[in-house]
Amino acid sequence: MRLLDATLGCEFVPSKELEEDDIPRYAILSHTWGADEEEVTYKDLVAGTGKSKSGFRKLEFCADRARQDGVDYFWVDTCCIDKTNNVELNTAITSMFRWYQRAAKCYVYLSDVPNAQPVTEDSYKGTERVSSFRGCRWLRQGWTLQEMLAPQEVEFYDKTGTKLGDKTTLERHICDITGIPSQVLRGHPHSSFSMDERFSWQRSRKTKKPEDLAYSLAGVCEVSMIPNYGEGGDKAMARLWKEIDEVLKGREKELNEIHASLGSDGSRRTVVLHGLGGIGKTQTAVAYAKRHRSGYSATFWFNIRDDTSVKQSFAKAAKRILQHHPSAYQLSRIDTNGDLDDVVEAVNAWLSEADNTRWLAIYDNYDNPKIRANKDAAAVDISRFLPDASQGSVIITTRSSQVRIGQCIPTQKLTDVVENVEILSSMSRRDLSTEDESVLALVRRLDGLPLAIATAGAYLDQVTITVADYLRLYETSWRELHKSDPGLDSYEDRTLYSTWRVSLDQIQQQNELSAKLLGLWCYFSNQDLWYELLCAGCSESVPWIQHLTTNLHVFSDAMRLLCHYGLVEGEKLSEEKVESGGYSIHSRVHSWAIHVLNAQ
């Protein structure tokens, strides 16, 4: 995200791209685009031109409003995105809803509303200024749906910069024109409304490009999709529905049960998701957090695999809190890079403040819990990392069914054969049928384990072989694994390890560096591995690591292959200022790499 400094008068220069944890408090502009040649672009600002364009007035207006509201930075879509950079443009489009949601203020500049008098409830009908507001183009544009719903504070201004009202005072007009329920404007969670209802809010709206009707709905529907201009409106809408289906698929029962259990009356509610490794506990927690994020003031993710990991997670949370609440008393007094026990205490004190009750904390990978039956000295006592106050919502994911803290919800295997085939079809991007015996045989063999099905699907997406051929490779891998390591804990472990072995064999054929990188990952956390980290520790005595870190292109090629096979996920680092993105590996794949690859 790039921002403009509102304190520098009319000398607007886009900042460098800011990482999530480096973004200061900012205002954001919503407006109707004029002629393309009259809008100020990123290129104009870099070159120091653009002041003669009519669109420059909008920048001056936004900067002035932000300064009056005590906000030092602001964002405008016309000039804060380098649209010649496709990666940056796609990132901006997919992040747009979140950027509007996090803005301190959203100013709506209505260039086609000339009347300088406020619109009030008393003037609901029959006046010229009401007609001007109700007839403005902004209310019927596609992208402005999320710009109205995402931010908490939305204020409307006419072309002279005079305030007409805000989302509250103009609620009746907005609801009447758009058909959007008043509860939504008041911040009621979108998850309380069906997808069909959410789609209806967009039906009377227009966009310049047909695909944008789908892209602009992604944030409202709480999914993410990469833009592909040129695919057409129908295909874009079909892709949007596919993304929605993927989020909801197979876990509707668990998601509804979590939501019912966390329905808060102001007191602490806790849910424990327990089940086999690779069964989808983390993914279910992610789906819940995405679906209900509008119902929480903040969501925090703590990796509680061990003491070190969870404390590092608290350090990241502390920096994030200070970005948005720089005056937070408990955190402003400590060094977030210092004693991590102090950081944990300070974050929990902030979560325990009397008026801070709508947060969601997810404690992931609590697989070595300190309970009576566990004699491991390294077991983690989660009570040390929970806020003292009885407020907020907590989700814990664990492989242990003995964790007894709140409402226990088992995460089961996916037993519906049709559902499993649909997931395999989606991951492989093939039209697989339940009438194909080899497809049914593979689904039965993978035994409803989502991670195994996803790995098999990713392989079939990358390699041109039949499902029957993949099944034969899987059976060979299973037999070899059983001979070399018959002591694996469970049938489920052998199922997962066998799918990963098939994928690794293919990866080794395509790029030996990728396979070696997977083995090297055993010596790092399963989260946040990136190019500059390996460069900093590069040893001249290990030639393949030297080759891997020759340049970012070589490293990215090796990592991209692991992503394509579903073993690794790419992500933006949350606190390190690096040029490349960071990567994470599923905790179960990480365990497999430690257990199998480095035992060779």
Side-chain angles (χ1 to χ4, degrees):
M1 185 183 201
R2 302 180 191 274
L3 294 174
L4 302 177
D5 192 330
T7 66
L8 300 179
C10 295
E11 300 303 318
F12 303 125
V13 179
S15 70
K16 65 178 182 178
E17 282 196 82
L18 301 170
E19 299 291 340
E20 287 287 326
D21 283 354
D22 293 328
I23 297 173
R25 190 166 174 261
Y26 63 92
I28 203 162
L29 182 71
S30 180
H31 62 106
T32 51
W33 278 52
D36 288 345
E37 63 272 15
E38 287 301 322
E39 293 293 352
V40 180
T41 66
Y42 172 79
K43 184 178 179 181
D44 290 332
L45 293 188
V46 171
T49 60
K51 289 186 178 181
S52 62
K53 293 185 174 183
S54 60
F56 195 79
R57 165 64 188 135
K58 289 186 273 194
L59 274 63
E60 292 179 304
F61 157 76
C62 195
D64 183 57
R65 283 297 339 151
R67 283 194 299 270
Q68 291 185 50
D69 289 331
V71 182
D72 291 342
Y73 299 92
F74 67 103
W75 185 90
V76 183
D77 58 353
T78 56
C79 56
C80 290
I81 308 168
D82 181 2
K83 297 180 180 67
T84 64
N85 182 328
N86 286 332
V87 173
E88 183 174 333
L89 177 60
N90 287 345
T91 299
I93 292 173
T94 56
S95 304
M96 201 80 73
F97 188 89
R98 187 172 72 255
W99 290 353
Y100 274 90
Q101 193 173 45
R102 293 181 176 179
K105 290 275 189 178
C106 176
Y107 308 124
V108 180
Y109 182 78
L110 304 174
S111 57
D112 56 344
V113 177
N115 197 303
Q117 293 177 291
V119 178
T120 66
E121 181 63 26
D122 294 336
S123 61
Y124 178 65
K125 292 180 180 179
T127 65
E128 184 178 343
R129 63 179 180 269
V130 170
S131 298
S132 296
F133 174 74
R134 291 170 64 87
C136 69
R137 286 184 296 142
W138 187 91
L139 284 169
R140 292 172 175 81
Q141 282 192 311
W143 280 105
T144 56
L145 173 66
Q146 64 173 9
E147 295 166 16
M148 177 165 53
L149 299 185
Q152 289 189 359
E153 296 190 37
V154 180
E155 298 175 351
F156 297 85
Y157 294 83
D158 66 20
K159 68 180 298 182
T160 69
T162 301
K163 186 175 179 180
L164 297 171
D166 56 34
K167 198 160 55 168
T168 300
T169 61
L170 297 174
E171 179 183 286
R172 190 174 177 187
H173 296 286
I174 296 170
C175 294
D176 186 37
I177 296 166
T178 65
I180 298 173
S182 59
Q183 301 98 304
V184 182
L185 297 180
R186 296 171 188 173
H188 207 67
H190 299 163
S191 56
S192 302
F193 299 87
S194 70
M195 290 299 174
D196 285 336
E197 287 176 295
R198 290 183 239 184
F199 270 66
S200 72
W201 305 337
Q202 191 74 301
R203 277 187 194 129
S204 62
R205 293 171 175 265
K206 304 291 184 183
T207 55
K208 282 187 177 181
K209 297 180 180 179
E211 297 92 342
D212 280 338
L213 274 177
Y215 302 160
S216 60
L217 271 168
V220 177
C221 295
E222 299 170 308
V223 299
S224 178
M225 63 185 292
I226 301 297
N228 180 21
Y229 287 107
E231 66 178 322
D234 291 342
K235 286 188 177 179
M237 199 61 74
R239 268 205 309 132
L240 174 61
W241 274 113
K242 184 177 180 181
E243 292 293 338
I244 293 169
D245 289 342
E246 283 300 312
V247 170
L248 302 180
K249 189 175 289 180
R251 294 302 179 198
E252 197 64 40
K253 177 178 177 292
E254 286 93 337
L255 290 171
N256 289 335
E257 196 169 346
I258 295 170
H259 189 46
S261 299
L262 293 182
S264 181
D265 56 2
S267 61
R268 167 81 56 78
R269 298 294 179 92
T270 302
V271 162
V272 176
L273 292 177
H274 66 86
L276 300 166
I279 202 67
K281 302 180 296 294
T282 298
Q283 288 72 21
T284 301
V286 169
Y288 176 84
K290 285 183 176 179
R291 181 185 287 194
H292 297 287
R293 62 187 169 192
S294 60
Y296 294 99
S297 57
T299 298
F300 299 95
W301 198 279
F302 303 115
N303 180 8
I304 195 163
R305 182 182 59 179
D306 52 48
D307 271 19
T308 300
S309 297
V310 71
K311 289 178 182 179
Q312 290 172 345
S313 297
F314 269 87
K316 290 182 181 180
K319 292 175 182 178
R320 180 180 157 204
I321 293 167
L322 282 171
Q323 281 290 328
H324 297 280
H325 303 277
S327 61
Y329 175 71
Q330 300 88 345
L331 292 163
S332 61
R333 298 181 300 112
I334 65 166
D335 177 7
T336 54
N337 295 313
D339 189 322
L340 292 182
D341 288 324
D342 291 341
V343 174
V344 171
E345 183 179 348
V347 170
N348 279 335
W350 183 81
L351 293 173
S352 298
E353 288 184 355
D355 59 347
N356 191 9
T357 61
R358 291 179 52 246
W359 49 262
L360 170 65
I362 299 173
Y363 295 78
D364 194 30
N365 298 323
Y366 189 44
D367 296 330
N368 190 16
K370 188 171 184 179
I371 53 178
R372 185 173 299 176
N374 187 0
K375 305 303 181 183
D376 186 351
V380 182
D381 181 3
I382 196 172
S383 65
R384 295 170 48 212
F385 302 103
L386 292 171
D388 291 331
S390 298
Q391 61 195 42
S393 298
V394 173
I395 297 176
I396 299 168
T397 73
T398 176
R399 297 177 72 183
S400 173
S401 60
Q402 302 304 308
V403 176
R404 309 289 187 186
I405 296 177
Q407 175 68 32
C408 292
I409 299 177
T411 310
Q412 308 287 2
K413 294 179 181 179
L414 301 178
T415 57
D416 189 303
V417 173
V418 174
E419 195 172 80
N420 285 323
V421 172
E422 287 177 352
I423 296 173
L424 190 64
S425 297
S426 173
M427 294 300 300
S428 64
R429 291 192 282 193
R430 301 186 186 190
D431 188 15
L432 303 179
S433 170
T434 53
E435 296 180 6
D436 186 330
E437 186 54 42
S438 61
V439 172
L440 292 177
L442 178 59
V443 165
R444 286 194 293 266
R445 197 71 175 89
L446 298 180
D447 198 28
L449 289 168
L451 192 53
I453 296 170
T455 304
Y459 184 99
L460 290 168
D461 180 42
Q462 294 297 311
V463 183
T464 310
I465 65 171
T466 66
V467 174
D469 287 337
Y470 179 84
L471 183 57
R472 282 191 285 273
L473 289 173
Y474 173 83
E475 295 292 3
T476 300
S477 175
W478 174 278
R479 288 191 296 270
E480 291 177 353
L481 178 63
H482 188 69
K483 289 178 184 177
S484 63
D485 196 349
L488 277 176
D489 291 344
S490 66
Y491 174 87
E492 289 76 22
D493 279 340
R494 291 194 290 276
T495 299
L496 292 169
Y497 283 28
S498 297
T499 59
W500 295 330
R501 183 78 247 184
V502 172
S503 295
L504 179 63
D505 290 343
Q506 186 64 31
I507 289 168
Q508 286 175 321
Q509 294 178 38
Q510 293 183 242
N511 189 338
E512 185 68 24
L513 283 179
S514 298
K516 289 182 177 294
L517 177 57
L518 199 60
L520 179 66
W521 214 319
C522 303
Y523 302 98
F524 295 88
S525 165
N526 69 308
Q527 297 179 333
D528 291 355
L529 182 64
W530 63 98
Y531 172 65
E532 288 80 5
L533 176 64
L534 292 184
C535 287
C538 178
S539 170
E540 294 182 1
S541 62
V542 186
W544 75 265
I545 297 181
Q546 276 192 295
H547 184 193
L548 181 70
T549 55
T550 301
N551 54 52
L552 182 58
H553 179 72
V554 174
F555 171 82
S556 297
D557 278 350
M559 195 66 85
R560 188 179 298 115
L561 190 62
L562 297 176
C563 291
H564 287 336
Y565 280 89
L567 301 182
V568 167
E569 292 182 352
E571 60 185 8
K572 281 290 184 184
L573 289 177
S574 57
E575 66 179 314
E576 302 294 340
K577 297 179 182 179
V578 297
E579 295 178 2
S580 66
Y583 296 85
S584 64
I585 185 172
H586 192 285
S587 59
R588 298 293 293 124
V589 181
H590 193 241
S591 297
W592 164 69
I594 295 172
H595 183 78
V596 176
L597 294 187
N598 284 304
Q600 297 176 347

